[in-house]
Amino acid sequence: MQDIEIAQLKKLTELIQGRFDYDFSNYAMSSFKRRVQRLLEIYKYPSIEVLIQKLSEKDERFFQEFLSEITVNVTEMFRDPGFWKVLKDSILPNILLNERPIKIWHAGCSSGEEVFSMAIVLQEMKALDRVQIVASDIDTAIINKAKEGKYPIKNMELNQKNYERYEGSHTLSTYYKEEGNKAVFDKNLVRNVQWIVHNLVDGTAFDTFDLILCRNVMIYFNQQLQNQVLKLFHESLHKYSYLAVGSKESLIWCEIANKFIIVNNEEKVYKKVKD
């Protein structure tokens, strides 16, 4: 298979923006190129030109498949258990001191494991009914999958280990039933979750939150887009509310860094201190 050139990627992103109104131009180019290369291998396309031709036909169903491959959907429950401990022991208790209804946004929620993890934490803190959760992703298909709360049983061993390291109150199997080769989570956990399709690239503020989680999403964006997204998060937070990013991500370098303080550097939790 021929190597993909930058000019070809530019042609691809321009086509996608023109036909489907999705802007990939500020994705980290090396990561975007890797995902496109993988997609060509999956579909056995000999070159990126074949992919460009296919997308130019404006086939909405194919575009949704393309979107699911290009946006990375690899996650697990209670990923980075230390982060969830910090959340349970200090961040959420502080947030729950507020009199108002509490709102949490999972931005780039992927297949929903993080949302179910949050719901379990809140349930064990007896705070689930005090919290409204918004879970968003760019990919309609992955949002529909997340709503189902069905995950391969083979993934539960890792998820259970994470839950134990987080020091949960029960066992993870308390929250799901086995159906065939799937773990089907209790829908009651997500009774206060609003699942929405939302594009961080050109999204605007739509509500004000007490905590935003956007973990391991921005590593796929270039610096310009990271700045743009972090401004959106700043605008979407109440003053003295929290933002959690991934372990390899940081706010230190960004244009609005002075509007946040570091709450926990190891687990990458920040607090908004300036409007």
Side-chain angles (χ1 to χ4, degrees):
M1 188 182 293
Q2 67 183 70
D3 191 43
I4 299 172
E5 295 171 9
I6 296 297
Q8 291 173 310
L9 286 175
K10 191 165 181 285
K11 186 177 172 184
L12 178 65
T13 56
E14 284 170 359
L15 171 73
I16 293 165
Q17 186 157 19
R19 288 288 167 103
F20 301 97
D21 201 27
Y22 278 80
D23 184 3
F24 284 102
S25 61
N26 285 320
Y27 270 58
M29 202 46 75
S30 57
S31 171
F32 186 67
K33 181 179 174 180
R34 272 197 309 275
R35 303 300 295 182
V36 170
Q37 198 95 47
R38 183 170 173 271
L39 195 135
L40 297 182
E41 287 163 14
I42 290 168
Y43 286 101
K44 297 183 167 55
Y45 289 165
S47 71
I48 191 172
E49 296 301 332
V50 179
L51 176 63
I52 290 168
Q53 177 57 40
K54 181 74 177 165
L55 286 166
S56 70
E57 293 164 11
K58 208 170 181 182
D59 178 341
E60 192 63 47
R61 187 173 165 191
F62 178 75
F63 178 68
Q64 287 302 324
E65 289 176 17
F66 169 84
L67 207 55
S68 294
E69 285 302 329
I70 292 296
T71 53
V72 182
N73 294 307
V74 179
T75 185
E76 62 201 48
M77 296 189 77
F78 294 95
R79 183 177 185 175
D80 306 320
F83 165 77
W84 292 95
K85 272 181 68 67
V86 167
L87 214 57
K88 174 184 68 174
D89 295 342
S90 58
I91 307 302
L92 288 170
N94 272 339
I95 289 171
L96 290 163
L97 292 173
N98 288 312
E99 300 280 312
R100 63 172 177 262
I102 307 304
K103 290 186 178 180
I104 294 173
W105 179 16
H106 292 266
C109 70
S110 188
S111 43
E113 284 92 335
E114 184 182 81
V115 182
F116 277 91
S117 302
M118 178 66 78
I120 289 167
V121 173
L122 291 166
Q123 176 89 322
E124 293 182 357
M125 292 176 74
K126 298 183 169 50
L128 189 54
D129 280 325
R130 284 202 54 205
V131 179
Q132 294 172 302
I133 294 173
V134 174
S136 71
D137 202 276
I138 186 177
D139 181 357
T140 307
I142 209 78
I143 282 284
N144 290 335
K145 186 181 172 189
K147 280 182 191 175
E148 289 183 349
K150 295 179 182 178
Y151 304 107
I153 280 289
K154 63 181 170 60
N155 295 0
M156 289 305 127
E157 188 180 349
L158 171 62
N159 293 340
Q160 172 63 30
K161 280 180 184 165
N162 286 348
Y163 178 75
E164 285 168 8
R165 285 172 58 209
Y166 149 76
E167 296 172 8
S169 308
H170 304 292
T171 173
L172 195 58
S173 58
T174 308
Y175 299 103
Y176 66 81
K177 289 178 181 164
E178 282 193 41
E179 290 182 13
N181 60 354
K182 296 279 187 184
V184 182
F185 276 80
D186 183 358
K187 285 282 203 303
N188 209 32
L189 286 168
V190 290
R191 60 186 179 269
N192 296 330
V193 176
Q194 180 188 6
W195 305 93
I196 65 169
V197 176
H198 178 269
N199 187 353
L200 286 172
V201 173
D202 56 13
T204 52
F206 58 88
D207 208 337
T208 315
F209 296 92
D210 299 279
L211 168 63
I212 296 174
L213 298 93
C214 186
R215 304 175 67 229
N216 310 299
V217 175
M218 289 187 292
I219 47 172
Y220 301 105
F221 300 163
N222 69 12
Q223 200 162 329
Q224 180 187 336
L225 183 52
Q226 286 181 32
N227 258 321
Q228 187 180 315
V229 170
L230 288 166
K231 282 178 185 171
L232 168 64
F233 291 154
H234 175 264
E235 198 182 331
S236 303
L237 283 167
H238 290 290
K239 196 172 182 183
Y240 306 121
S241 290
Y242 299 87
L243 172 64
V245 297
S247 57
K248 295 184 178 68
E249 298 165 333
S250 171
L251 265 65
I252 291 169
W253 58 270
C254 77
E255 290 172 16
I256 52 163
N258 64 333
K259 296 185 176 182
F260 287 88
I261 58 167
I262 298 168
V263 174
N264 188 302
N265 193 42
E266 192 177 345
E267 302 302 341
K268 297 296 188 288
V269 182
Y270 301 85
K271 182 191 271 193
K272 174 179 169 175
V273 290
K274 290 182 191 169
D275 285 323

